[in-house]
Amino acid sequence: VQLQASGGGLVQAGESLRLSCVASGNIFSINDMAWYRQSPGKERELVASITTYGTIKYQDSVKGRFAISRDNAKNTVSLQMNSLKPEDTAVYYCYADLFVVGKHYSYQYWGQGTLVTVSS
C-alpha cells in the first residue's frame, strides 16, 4: 500500500493551493483519511480529517479556509486551502487508516509529505 501526495508549492499570502493524495495497493477498504502538517521545530498536527461517511473535523486555525474531501471510489483525499497565511507553511502529510485485503484489522499509512510555503 502506498499513499502518494501532490500539490504543494510556493504561494503568496491570500492565495490558494489544492493538495491531493491517492492510496494504491491491495486495499480492501479505507476508514478515516486526513491531512496532517509539520512545521520546523513543531510536532505533527492534525489539519483535517474525514470519515468514510463524510464526517469532517478541522483544526480551529483552518476552519472556514480549508476544505477536505474524498472520493471513495478512487481512494483519494484532497485538501483545498484558501486564504493561505504564512503560518500555514509546513510539510503536509496525507494519512489513511485502511484494511488491506486478507487482513482482519486496519493499518495506518502516511504519504511522503508535500511542502507548502506561504510567503508574506
Side-chain angles (χ1 to χ4, degrees), residues 37-45 87:
R37 67 186 180 188
Q38 188 168 20
S39 303
K42 295 186 178 181
E43 293 186 354
R44 191 173 297 188
E45 61 180 6
E87 51 264 43

Side-chain angles (χ1 to χ4, degrees), residues 17-31:
L17 274 177
R18 184 176 181 85
L19 305 182
S20 296
C21 177
V22 57
S24 61
N26 212 13
I27 298 170
F28 178 74
S29 66
I30 302 178
N31 298 325

Side-chain angles (χ1 to χ4, degrees), residues 59-112:
Q59 181 190 109
D60 286 346
S61 68
V62 307
K63 287 180 180 178
R65 299 188 298 121
F66 290 12
I68 189 171
S69 61
R70 65 187 282 175
D71 185 327
N72 292 331
K74 296 181 179 179
N75 290 341
T76 60
V77 61
S78 298
L79 186 68
Q80 178 66 41
M81 304 185 294
N82 300 324
S83 302
L84 282 160
K85 303 176 180 181
E87 51 264 43
D88 294 318
T89 296
V91 177
Y92 284 71
Y93 298 90
C94 60
Y95 161 94
D97 178 70
L98 58 86
F99 285 91
V100 176
V101 172
K103 300 296 184 181
H104 299 293
Y105 42 89
S106 64
Y107 291 86
Q108 291 76 53
Y109 290 87
W110 294 89
Q112 83 283 11

